[in-house]
Amino acid sequence: MVNDQFGIVGLLTFIRAAETDPNLVSLALGQDLTALGLNLNSPDNLYPTFGGPWAEQPCRPQDIDFHVPPEYLVNSAIRDKLAGVKFTRYKDDLLFFMFYNNCGDVFQVLAAVELYNREWRYHTEEKVWITQVPGMVLLEKTSTYERGTYYFFDVHNWRKVAKEFHLDYSKLEGRPVIQQSMH
Amino acid sequence: YEDPPGLMEKTDFLLRDWIGIYHSQPSGRDSTKAFSMFVHQMNVHGILKTDDLITRFFRLSTQLCVEAVYRNVTEGSASNQTVLRTKCYHTLDPFVRLIALLVKHSGDASNATTKIHLLNKVLGIVAGCLLQDHEQRAGDFQQLPYHRIFIMLFLELCSPEPVLETINYQVLTAYCHTLHILRPSKAAGFCYAWLELISHRVFIGRMLAITPQQKGWSMYAQLLIDLFKYLAPFLRNAELAKPVTMLYKGTLRVLLVLLHDFPEFLCDYHYGFCDVIPPNCIQMRNLILSAFPRNMRLPDPFTPNLKVDVLQEITYSPRVITNFATLITPLQFKKDLDSYLKQRAPVTFLSELRSNLQVSNEPGMRYNIPLMNALVMYVGTQAIGYIRNKSLTPNMSTIAHSAHMDIFQNLTVDLDTEGRYLFLNAVANQLRYPNSHTHYFSCTLLYLFAEANTEAIQEQITRVLLERLIVNRPHPWGLLITFIELIKNPSYKFWNHEFVHCAPEIEKLFESVARSCM
Amino acid sequence: PLQKEHQAQFQMMESAFFHMPHPSDSEKLRTYLPRSPYHTPPYYLQS
């Protein structure tokens, strides 16, 4: 057989080395290109919402600038009159809007902090926000779980929905934390 | 050098004035009225008197804006990134707006020449500042100010305004020229920002989609070639350090977008791309070679008894933009080659072939790969024409016993393992979507396998195909049908070869690939 | 092995790697809700 790097043995040697050296894998075996955050099955073009070479997701709607008449750009006239962004002032509805429309942004976590302060809890498995229904008596309670009726925030219909649920405490997110440098 | 006395102070004053105007409430974003007054100010200070003064003004302004960014970075190193960057944009964005307005209002509304002349001047000045800064500061060089200036200016110049729409193609040309000057091999410290620039959604849209008649395609292809050429030495090294991995992964994302949205672009320019992508970058190359025209329906390569020879598509030649015939140098070699193809003589041409392809004894650089690729492509396409002129179609019989196959067989036998590997790679680079080139080169590979006089040749053909198949998807259609034919057709006796069973991993690999193929 | 020229390029690239472009560098300035990428928990909605 060919006894240098240009035959089957050469390929095998490279593959074996790649098993122990992760830096070699990317060229030896390539990567799963479907895991780069691009919807390759999309019937629409990807480039209009392409977030860039290192973006894990496409652009969000708010990331895409559209050309508008200069008269619409009133920010410079009113920005001193706008109240600062303060999550404690907002209703639950707006907090959910901030949470679901700012993925991968500090605003998502800030919204989560305020929701937590208002006794909403994020269920890490169901991936929904839930809270106790005021006045409702629990059907069952132990040290690890409880069962009762809770409000779930239904993001698809954009409303609170009451449901009976077995709540495992270990599945609830604790208080969200923000790095000091982001405050 | 030797700026007129006081020019720096005037520039500083005017720039600060403009930044204040830009951010002031009454002027807002449009600033047209304020701009007219500002231009008057510039005239009063004599800035617009001569071309030399205008040039110096822009250079000094660029340097002042860049210096401001460096100061922000140094002073605010502990600050939140958002706050730091906002401060930088605060200075850079007005400067960009000033440039855009000056370009827009330069000369008459219908006179594109003056506007583009000014734009080229400014882009050249910013590029020059960048290169100087890059050289002087080395590891402390910051991409941010230059990146911001270039991208925001581009977005401004792509505003849907009639004056700007009429000069958009020239704007794109100016940008591509500047980006080529600032290609990563010239400004490696700017490479990430550079990739961001060429892959910005608006830039891609303008270059590849909006500009009519694909006039932006060749310029964009050149930028990608610049990128691949820069990456090549690091990727050839196989072991990727983090900075290289980052750039490589970013490149893959961009290629995926191009594959999805502009496959015809990748089809047309595949030859030039493959010429500069190192042989070991198999997945990246497969990405490009997997492209096929959107109006084409590819027959399922796993269809039992697929008769490739009767597919309609194999009668059509694909478009290949590169004039590969001109890449066969020196001229005498090309003449000798044409002569051999015509007359199938003298035999000495074949024995001298190798020496034309070997260029040095330096490891990894012994062969002229672009020449190898061009030779293979040229001989193959000439062969297709030759067969068609006899009113025949290329198949395993008609491709044999010709001057063209003489050359391919000679290369297969005469080259050493490295040369043979590179030669076979050149052939495999034409295994793409169903077309005449894919079909001819698929037949050629199979023919060379069948007619090989040593098992080493068959082993290397298998190696070239296998390494392209074991990487993650995508895989070109032509690659799949060639390998399937090789393992299914009993006449090749594929499974009888020693190299198929040389190691348990290899055996499993072949079985796994064969299972997924069959 | 890398040639000297490429080694020098790598060093420059490595320095640049430590201050990569930020998504907001390619966008108009948003004073009210600036983009602030943050590494959110994997169980949060990611897109």
Side-chain angles (χ1 to χ4, degrees):
Chain A
M1 287 179 66
V2 172
N3 60 3
D4 59 21
Q5 60 181 302
F6 299 110
I8 296 286
V9 172
L11 179 63
L12 175 63
T13 309
F14 194 61
I15 293 171
R16 279 183 179 163
E19 281 170 9
T20 49
D21 185 343
N23 286 333
L24 286 177
V25 171
S26 56
L27 289 182
L29 301 170
Q31 340 185 356
D32 178 5
L33 297 180
T34 62
L36 292 182
L38 295 167
N39 181 8
L40 300 172
N41 293 320
S42 168
D44 303 317
N45 280 335
L46 299 178
Y47 79 85
T49 55
F50 183 49
W54 300 290
E56 301 279 339
Q57 293 127 35
C59 290
R60 305 163 302 176
Q62 62 264 42
D63 297 331
I64 301 186
D65 283 311
F66 288 90
H67 292 282
V68 297
E71 294 82 2
Y72 289 16
L73 299 169
V74 298
N75 179 264
S76 61
I78 68 167
R79 61 176 169 234
D80 295 336
K81 300 177 189 133
L82 292 173
V85 175
K86 205 164 180 190
F87 284 79
T88 49
R89 278 203 272 251
Y90 305 147
K91 289 189 176 158
D92 290 1
D93 186 53
L94 183 50
L95 292 177
F96 286 121
F97 176 83
M98 293 299 285
F99 180 84
Y100 285 106
N101 283 284
N102 286 281
C103 303
D105 196 288
V106 75
F107 287 119
Q108 188 179 33
V109 184
L110 286 169
V113 166
E114 185 56 26
L115 284 167
Y116 186 94
N117 290 342
R118 299 185 194 185
E119 304 305 327
W120 285 91
R121 294 290 178 268
Y122 189 77
H123 196 285
T124 57
E125 253 182 35
E126 301 289 322
K127 296 192 194 319
V128 287
W129 286 96
I130 69 174
T131 191
Q132 287 175 329
V133 176
M136 274 286 184
V137 174
L138 289 172
L139 299 172
E140 201 178 334
K141 185 175 170 65
T142 72
S143 58
T144 57
Y145 74 89
E146 61 184 52
R147 199 163 59 85
T149 303
Y150 302 89
Y151 278 135
F152 284 70
F153 185 74
D154 178 350
V155 67
H156 298 291
N157 293 303
W158 207 257
R159 59 170 190 228
K160 289 191 299 197
V161 175
K163 276 200 300 194
E164 200 175 292
F165 187 65
H166 173 107
L167 179 61
D168 190 333
Y169 296 141
S170 66
K171 303 279 164 45
L172 293 181
E173 185 195 19
R175 177 179 287 280
V177 172
I178 295 226
Q179 284 171 22
Q180 192 57 36
S181 60
M182 295 302 280
H183 279 289
Chain B
Y1 296 102
E2 294 176 357
D3 289 323
L7 182 61
M8 171 61 107
E9 289 74 19
K10 276 186 203 173
T11 304
D12 186 75
F13 168 75
L14 284 166
L15 197 56
R16 284 176 194 278
D17 189 29
W18 174 253
I19 292 172
I21 291 169
Y22 178 90
H23 289 297
S24 71
Q25 282 188 17
S27 305
R29 292 298 307 279
D30 185 26
S31 340
T32 308
K33 190 178 171 186
F35 173 70
S36 306
M37 289 167 57
F38 184 76
V39 169
H40 175 70
Q41 279 291 313
M42 290 177 82
N43 267 317
V44 163
H45 282 89
I47 298 293
L48 302 176
K49 231 187 234 177
T50 64
D51 198 57
D52 178 74
L53 280 168
I54 296 171
T55 305
R56 289 177 189 274
F57 171 77
F58 279 117
R59 176 181 42 82
L60 290 167
S61 306
T62 303
Q63 287 170 341
L64 284 167
C65 289
V66 169
E67 284 301 320
V69 169
Y70 276 100
R71 271 198 309 276
N72 288 335
V73 167
T74 310
E75 290 164 11
S77 53
S79 294
N80 177 290
Q81 275 292 305
T82 306
V83 168
L84 178 66
R85 285 180 130 78
T86 304
K87 268 175 118 178
C88 296
Y89 306 157
H90 201 263
T91 305
L92 296 166
D93 291 355
F95 178 51
V96 165
R97 168 50 63 96
L98 178 62
I99 297 169
L101 286 170
L102 285 168
V103 168
K104 219 166 85 172
H105 295 284
S106 177
D108 299 327
S110 55
N111 187 348
T113 310
T114 331
K115 300 178 202 310
I116 295 302
H117 175 77
L118 180 59
L119 176 63
N120 274 312
K121 176 195 288 296
V122 173
L123 291 177
I125 288 167
V126 177
C129 289
L130 187 161
L131 291 170
Q132 195 173 50
D133 191 11
H134 186 263
E135 196 183 311
Q136 283 172 357
R137 290 190 210 252
D140 293 330
F141 172 79
Q142 291 281 337
Q143 303 173 85
L144 169 59
Y146 305 99
H147 179 205
R148 184 75 178 176
I149 290 172
F150 283 127
I151 190 58
M152 297 314 290
L153 180 59
F154 184 77
L155 295 177
E156 291 259 4
L157 294 173
C158 287
S159 302
E161 297 172 34
V163 165
L164 295 174
E165 290 288 357
T166 53
I167 62 167
N168 191 250
Y169 178 67
Q170 293 96 315
V171 169
L172 297 179
T173 307
Y175 258 83
C176 288
H177 179 65
T178 306
L179 288 166
H180 179 64
I181 289 170
L182 296 175
R183 58 194 182 277
S185 56
K186 295 294 177 193
F190 190 62
C191 69
Y192 299 109
W194 189 91
L195 182 56
E196 283 266 10
L197 284 165
I198 73 157
S199 61
H200 192 275
R201 57 190 179 277
V202 176
F203 189 78
I204 288 182
R206 286 280 168 174
M207 291 295 294
L208 299 180
I210 296 172
T211 301
Q213 295 153 34
Q214 301 167 358
K215 284 202 290 185
W217 283 24
S218 58
M219 294 190 288
Y220 198 79
Q222 179 60 56
L223 293 175
L224 287 180
I225 286 171
D226 289 340
L227 177 62
F228 298 149
K229 273 184 171 169
Y230 173 72
L231 278 168
F234 307 111
L235 297 179
R236 266 205 313 262
N237 235 324
E239 197 154 356
L240 304 188
K242 280 205 179 97
V244 178
T245 304
M246 181 67 87
L247 193 64
Y248 175 67
K249 209 170 170 182
T251 302
L252 284 182
R253 271 207 183 89
V254 177
L255 285 175
L256 277 172
V257 172
L258 298 179
L259 178 64
H260 184 277
D261 296 355
F262 307 102
E264 293 87 357
F265 166 74
L266 293 180
C267 289
D268 285 359
Y269 291 91
H270 89 282
Y271 183 90
F273 296 151
C274 288
D275 235 13
V276 296
I277 292 173
N280 64 318
C281 293
I282 300 165
Q283 187 176 39
M284 192 158 84
R285 192 177 48 207
N286 271 357
L287 245 177
I288 291 165
L289 298 179
S290 297
F292 59 91
R294 276 172 296 186
N295 61 0
M296 193 174 252
R297 286 280 168 272
L298 259 52
D300 183 352
F302 308 120
T303 308
N305 302 317
L306 176 66
K307 296 275 186 285
V308 174
D309 284 358
V310 300
L311 289 175
Q312 184 69 14
E313 290 90 341
I314 65 164
T315 58
Y316 301 119
S317 292
R319 200 161 78 145
V320 179
I321 299 294
T322 310
N323 188 347
F324 44 84
T326 60
L327 300 177
I328 300 175
T329 55
L331 195 57
Q332 189 55 48
F333 175 55
K334 175 68 167 42
K335 281 184 178 163
D336 293 341
L337 172 64
D338 283 329
S339 176
Y340 186 85
L341 289 177
K342 202 171 174 185
Q343 295 162 45
R344 210 175 173 188
V347 167
T348 48
F349 171 77
L350 295 178
S351 51
E352 287 160 11
L353 251 183
R354 176 160 45 98
S355 59
N356 283 285
L357 294 167
Q358 261 176 326
V359 291
S360 80
N361 279 322
E362 224 177 301
M365 297 174 63
R366 290 176 50 231
Y367 287 90
N368 185 337
I369 296 176
L371 177 58
M372 178 86 78
N373 291 339
L375 177 66
V376 165
M377 189 68 161
Y378 182 72
V379 171
T381 50
Q382 289 292 303
I384 295 169
Y386 172 76
I387 293 167
R388 288 222 179 111
N389 282 342
K390 296 196 290 183
S391 303
L392 298 169
T393 54
N395 56 44
M396 294 295 279
S397 307
T398 57
I399 65 173
H401 311 302
S402 62
H404 315 85
M405 193 49 73
D406 287 348
I407 290 171
F408 288 151
Q409 282 186 295
N410 179 266
L411 288 171
T412 309
V413 166
D414 200 31
L415 290 170
D416 63 4
T417 51
E418 181 182 356
R420 190 183 297 137
Y421 174 78
L422 296 172
F423 161 69
L424 293 170
N425 256 329
V427 175
N429 281 352
Q430 306 315 318
L431 302 179
R432 301 191 292 148
Y433 62 93
N435 60 55
S436 61
H437 293 189
T438 297
H439 183 238
Y440 174 82
F441 286 106
S442 175
C443 290
T444 296
L445 265 182
L446 293 169
Y447 181 83
L448 291 173
F449 188 96
E451 298 296 313
N453 58 4
T454 64
E455 194 150 308
I457 293 171
Q458 294 169 319
E459 180 191 333
Q460 285 203 267
I461 291 172
T462 307
R463 150 70 191 265
V464 164
L465 294 175
L466 185 67
E467 68 180 0
R468 291 170 185 237
L469 283 166
I470 61 172
V471 293
N472 272 296
R473 292 180 296 171
H475 302 112
W477 180 90
L479 172 70
L480 290 165
I481 56 119
T482 305
F483 188 75
I484 289 169
E485 179 64 13
L486 185 62
I487 61 175
K488 272 174 79 171
N489 189 328
S491 64
Y492 299 115
K493 299 194 182 87
F494 179 79
W495 299 101
N496 294 357
H497 290 99
E498 187 191 336
F499 55 77
V500 173
H501 309 285
C502 65
E505 296 105 308
I506 290 293
E507 241 180 331
K508 279 194 190 130
L509 208 51
F510 277 120
E511 282 165 9
S512 159
V513 174
R515 256 197 314 272
S516 55
C517 286
M518 288 150 71
Chain C
L2 285 179
Q3 292 174 357
K4 260 192 179 165
E5 179 197 349
H6 302 137
Q7 283 174 14
Q9 285 173 356
F10 178 79
Q11 278 172 354
M12 288 299 294
M13 184 166 57
E14 196 175 31
S15 304
F17 174 70
F18 291 107
H19 32 89
M20 292 281 295
H22 194 267
S24 61
D25 291 345
S26 304
E27 296 167 346
K28 289 181 186 165
L29 182 59
R30 266 182 261 157
T31 47
Y32 204 64
L33 288 173
R35 195 205 271 257
S36 304
Y38 193 83
H39 190 65
T40 55
Y43 44 76
Y44 278 7
L45 196 73
Q46 295 297 322
S47 64

